[in-house]
Amino acid sequence: MSQSTPAESLGCGASAPLRGLRVLDLSRVLAGPFCTMILADLGADVVKIERPGSGDDSRHFGPFLPDGLSAYFASVNRGKRSVTLDLARDEDTQLFIRLVERADVLVENFRPGTMDGFGFSPARLKELNPRLISASVSGFGRTGEHGQRAAYDIIIQALSGLMSITGADPRHPVRVGTSISDILSGLFTAIGILAALRNREATGHGADLDLAMLDCTVAALENAISRFEVTGQVPQPLGTRHASITPFQAFETADRPIVIAAANDGLWIKLCEAVGCAKLGHDPRFLTNPLRTANVVILESLLNERLRRQPAAHWLSRLQTAGVPVAPICTIAEVAADSHFAARGMLHTMVGDAQTKFTTAGSPFRIDGVLPQLSSHAPGLGEHTEHVLRDWLGQSSLLSDEGQ
């Protein structure tokens, strides 16, 4: 990749709210890198510390561009700078210490105890830099019974209960189609970092954050736990249905399924009128949402029978005109071709070493109507080592100092 400076090419324009924030990113694969990508998108100078020779594991995950760049890696590491350090070498450890002393934030997602083994326990980091916000993201956190267990997204989805309520029926639990536990952990970590930075403004003190993927996923179970506590019934997978709102699910048409969300009594009446079965709207079995939910099996059968008579486009037009929330179930190809996402800046173009262009998801942030200035590049392994040593330490090479 071409060499770059943090100001113009890494999304640090004058309007970037995190401009000037220095982040050391020791994380790899997804949860940590997703968190630090959010910070980079918002203007932070994110320095990715990687192992010499191999780097982040996800550099070796497909699909790959013709120049060998991993699209997986690029999709969550745009706008960062890569520095290679081997923390088993004393010289590299000393450089890392100096970087820590100048950092605002440090993010890592090793198994608990790994940083201690490197000689950088929370207490040691605080000693080196009392203003540092240090964020640790692990599968199970530092406390509890499972701290040393290996954790991958599917393991966390299973243990959190999320898989038990996802799918068509209890016998066939389904993993959510993205690595949602990793993504949630990245989001919660970014929120925690921003909260800690706000607190630092008031106190002058840094913070040590301990986040667990399992905790983050349980926190996102919506009302599943409270439903169990209140009703005594263990939540089950319901396919596309909602547990307490009906109709709020996918229905069949003549050619492809559509989703209908008639979430109140007024929308229910409009739905029945739009599909040509107005009498159904006044059927005693379906007069209220609790009644519709209790009788969802027969309601679903009646609506499917009606909707199967026409193609999806017919019903989408009629229901949208009637003001009933409705949508097709889009494929990723349809999303990538949708002009709405292009207009919103959600289809972001990345550029590889050989100037090969490819599309990734953009950033959802709009601040005063302005989109973040996203980088079109992911860093090559160790690409920015010299630049970072100069920018952060005033050092022109690994072996010489300037003004030290």
Side-chain angles (χ1 to χ4, degrees), residues 63-71 350-358:
F64 298 98
L65 273 65
D67 59 22
L69 175 65
S70 161
M350 301 280 290
V351 181
D353 281 338
Q355 299 304 302
T356 304
K357 295 184 178 180
F358 59 105

Side-chain angles (χ1 to χ4, degrees), residues 63-78:
F64 298 98
L65 273 65
D67 59 22
L69 175 65
S70 161
Y72 184 113
F73 173 83
S75 70
V76 290
N77 285 285
R78 64 180 173 233

Side-chain angles (χ1 to χ4, degrees), residues 12-13 16-23 42-45 102 104 200 392:
C12 297
L18 298 184
R19 180 182 177 87
L21 188 74
R22 287 179 166 179
V23 180
L42 294 175
D45 180 10
R102 290 159 175 78
D104 295 292
R200 189 178 74 175
W392 283 39

Side-chain angles (χ1 to χ4, degrees), residues 140 153-166 176 180-181 184 213-221 224-225:
F140 303 96
D153 181 86
I154 193 169
I155 301 298
I156 300 301
Q157 288 199 35
L159 286 173
S160 67
L162 180 60
M163 282 183 66
S164 78
I165 56 174
T166 306
V176 175
I180 193 66
S181 294
L184 287 168
M213 290 172 62
L214 186 59
D215 296 347
C216 293
T217 308
V218 169
L221 288 180
I225 292 176

Side-chain angles (χ1 to χ4, degrees), residues 25-72:
D25 180 10
L26 280 74
S27 66
R28 68 265 190 243
V29 185
L30 187 51
F34 191 83
C35 164
T36 54
M37 180 183 70
I38 293 171
L39 303 180
D41 285 349
L42 294 175
D45 180 10
V46 176
V47 171
K48 189 174 180 69
I49 305 297
E50 301 187 74
R51 294 168 296 183
S54 57
D56 188 326
D57 294 345
S58 67
R59 288 185 180 275
H60 312 287
F61 298 170
F64 298 98
L65 273 65
D67 59 22
L69 175 65
S70 161
Y72 184 113

Side-chain angles (χ1 to χ4, degrees), residues 207-250:
D208 172 44
L209 308 181
D210 170 22
L211 289 101
M213 290 172 62
L214 186 59
D215 296 347
C216 293
T217 308
V218 169
L221 288 180
E222 196 186 0
N223 61 11
I225 292 176
S226 57
R227 266 191 289 134
F228 167 67
E229 288 294 327
V230 171
T231 68
Q233 298 177 348
V234 179
Q236 300 291 314
L238 300 172
T240 63
R241 283 170 43 204
H242 193 282
S244 54
I245 305 173
T246 305
F248 201 92
Q249 65 186 86

Side-chain angles (χ1 to χ4, degrees), residues 253 255-256 258 310-318:
T253 72
D255 57 352
R256 62 182 293 184
I258 60 174
Q310 297 288 344
H314 172 85
W315 296 121
L316 290 169
S317 175
R318 287 186 64 87

